[in-house]
Amino acid sequence: MFVRTLSAGGSIEEIGGKAHRLSLLTRYFNVPEGFVVTTKAYELWKETGSLPKDLIDEIKEYFHSPYVLEGKFPVVVRSSATVEDSSRASFAGVFESVTGVSSFDELIRVIERIFKSAESSRVKEYMKRLGIKDEVKMAVIVQRQVNPKLSGVLFTRSPNEPDRALVELVEGSPEKLVGGKEGGKRVLIPRDSTKVKDPLMMELIETGLEVEELFRKPQDIEWAYDGTLWLLQSREVTVFASKPEKTKVPGGWYRLRGIPASPGRIKGKAHFVLDDQPPEEAERVFPRGGVLVTYVLHAEYCSLFMKALAIVTKVESVLSHPAIIARELGIPCVTGVDVEAIREGDEIIVDGDEGAVYIKNPRKRFRKLDLWEASWKEDELTKELGEEYQKALQELDAEKLERTILRAFELVRKLYPVDKERAFNVYHFINTLMEEETPRILAERFSVAEVFARADMGERPRDETEKRLFEIYDALKRFINYTDERVKDIPALLFGLGKTV
């Protein structure tokens, strides 16, 4: 089995960092449906040099499944490497991701293209610069493409003002914003939702704080809104600026105001790179140790950023891939600057703490969709199973809970050949108990989001009660994800999914 639904989840080693985090978000928030082509498929691709027919057929099964994408385009195809979106580095914009994929043949080509990006020179340079020596394995996420009214990025703590949250938003798709190709409207908002008046901003901060609690660290969240707030990605905020001391304006220098995007203060020579220059050419002619000055930032210029001493941009986007990478690399970055005032080769000072660029002789310058939900009806079988399940849950007895779940799936097997409707009724019932009712019931007694997050991070339980919760969570993950050997046949039986290649 080389493919699994996004909601089924899996370890970082199996589905990569981005998909792992998204799979956790699917349990509590709106995440566009989709599936993951796993790192196992990537390893097979590396061995053979292409995607075998059996693997392509499995991808096609998931794509056409009525419970996944229903064979509908367009889709977004995104990287999910094992080193991606970690606490050490985000790899923002370093790997390939493609939007607007509109045919199955194109989908297969894009998956292979993303696999190839795992071994690109910019990935190697980025890892070398940050001292990362881990082996890169690539998984690929395929999701329904949202057509939003508004989209953007939320920092639950602003990199430069950690006491507040920062939102950048644009009309339509978020790609131009997060790629640094377009500046968005910037809004600093309180982290207390009761002090926020705008309904969307209120929903954003409330959701953002829940995500922050889930992962236990401030988050950089990519979102889209089409009447429903969708979460497209969430990763840890990798760098915060320390509170800068007030710096003096150097005598004889003219100040160009901007927005601080990455802290630090450096002097160097300005060198322009325009957005119509191919990345390979720009990297070749840009001098190492120069200050990169540009109108528009592109994520594909990652290797170029590695050579820069600092970055200055016309576009106001402190949450773009390049701004995030600048913070990770520890180089100053100021956005929203009138770069027309700067000449090629000018000596300039880039102050990423205050958000200013100094120059001696400037030029005169001229909400919810009706999503499909599983439903079930109470009958004698579900009533009896429900009572057993609730009792085991109240007693925090993982073994009893497991026996009840296994009994439910055994009933599904027996009923399916003779009464498919009842089989699906039991199936939807037990999954509703596991995925929806269990967190709700446990949340009345425990901080389950925190406990489950600690379990996912491999921490040890603090006491006997937490040990039982960890055991329940482990059991639920195995059955919800169908990784337990005793239920691996269920997706294939009911939906034709999960057939071994």
Side-chain angles (χ1 to χ4, degrees), residues 285 346 353 412 476-477:
V285 302
D346 274 350
D353 296 325
V412 171
L476 290 174
K477 282 198 299 183

Side-chain angles (χ1 to χ4, degrees), residues 14 29 44 176-177 314 325 332 341 343 362 378 381 389 418:
E14 293 171 313
F29 307 98
L44 180 62
K176 288 185 178 180
L177 175 63
K314 173 77 172 177
I325 290 173
R343 295 178 176 84
E378 186 175 72
L381 280 179
Y389 191 98
V418 293

Side-chain angles (χ1 to χ4, degrees), residues 320-334:
S320 66
H321 291 310
I324 292 170
I325 290 173
R327 290 191 287 274
E328 291 177 348
L329 296 177
I331 62 175
C333 180
V334 181

Side-chain angles (χ1 to χ4, degrees), residues 145-198:
Q145 183 165 317
V146 178
N147 184 25
K149 302 172 186 175
L150 295 169
S151 57
V153 185
L154 164 68
F155 269 25
T156 59
R157 286 191 184 275
S158 167
N160 295 296
E161 296 187 47
D163 293 338
R164 294 197 280 177
L166 174 62
V167 178
E168 269 199 7
L169 66 156
V170 294
E171 291 185 359
S173 168
E175 277 71 39
K176 288 185 178 180
L177 175 63
V178 298
K181 298 178 182 179
E182 183 178 309
K185 179 182 178 182
R186 302 175 70 253
V187 184
L188 280 165
I189 56 176
R191 281 170 51 85
D192 181 352
S193 63
T194 62
K195 297 179 181 179
V196 180
K197 294 181 179 179
D198 181 83

